[in-house]
Amino acid sequence: MVEVTVTPQSSLADRPVQLRVRGLSPSQLVTLRAWLKDEQGECFQARAFFHADETGEVDPGRHPALGGSYTGVWPMGLFWFLQPDTIFRRLVKRDVAGSPFLIHLEVFDGLRLVTAPQEQPLGSCQAERWYVGPGVQRVPIREGRVRGALFLPP
């Protein structure tokens, strides 16, 4: 049974998380994929290829990505290298206080440059990335020509 975990599962967008895959065969070649849909329904995704270690585990914080959206050891690489499916789109969070981005994390056997919709991952999980912490108050600012928002901690 392949298990994908992200710790913590819910966090602020600027906080690091730890991603782990367990239950693989030793030295198994896998593709880790992260994807999300923004508030307009645009899909953003990143993928990286890894060899599982001798215990059948992949940890992007310790194991180097062999290719994909990035190479090398990047603990947050799948989050940082998200790219739009449609060119010239930017990942922007408009409703910062109301809802998080839900990032889907999946692991597939072998190298997967493109993932077919019917293809089932070996394992998956979701991570919530919030832009405003609990209890933070958002105060709109409209003073003369100045427009903005003030975020007050609890």
Side-chain angles (χ1 to χ4, degrees):
M1 173 92 178
V2 176
E3 177 185 32
V4 181
T5 58
V6 60
T7 309
Q9 186 269 331
S10 181
S11 64
L12 290 173
D14 63 345
R15 306 290 175 169
V17 295
Q18 185 176 37
L19 174 62
R20 281 225 171 108
V21 180
R22 294 183 179 99
L24 300 167
S25 301
S27 301
Q28 182 176 353
L29 182 62
V30 295
T31 300
L32 288 181
R33 175 180 173 227
W35 66 273
L36 66 84
K37 288 201 176 194
D38 70 4
E39 293 156 333
Q40 283 74 45
E42 183 66 38
C43 188
F44 291 76
Q45 61 181 315
R47 66 186 70 237
F49 314 127
F50 293 90
H51 273 293
D53 65 14
E54 61 280 349
T55 65
E57 185 175 302
V58 170
D59 178 354
R62 293 184 302 125
H63 304 124
L66 307 173
S69 301
Y70 66 96
T71 58
V73 177
W74 291 79
M76 296 291 295
L78 288 171
F79 294 81
W80 292 341
F81 291 98
L82 288 165
Q83 293 294 315
D85 285 353
T86 306
I87 61 171
F88 304 120
R89 297 288 184 145
R90 288 184 13 177
L91 184 58
V92 176
K93 182 71 170 139
R94 301 217 186 278
D95 179 18
V96 295
S99 63
F101 270 142
L102 289 177
I103 301 181
H104 303 265
L105 301 155
E106 302 169 328
V107 61
F108 295 92
D109 186 33
L111 293 174
R112 297 286 187 269
L113 296 174
V114 177
T115 309
Q118 70 275 9
E119 194 170 357
Q120 292 297 313
L122 297 174
S124 65
C125 73
Q126 283 187 3
E128 292 180 354
R129 302 294 278 173
W130 290 89
Y131 282 77
V132 175
V136 172
Q137 181 183 5
R138 182 181 188 273
V139 179
I141 305 295
R142 298 181 83 94
E143 191 68 37
R145 292 175 36 191
V146 176
R147 301 289 183 265
L150 174 63
F151 293 87
L152 298 170

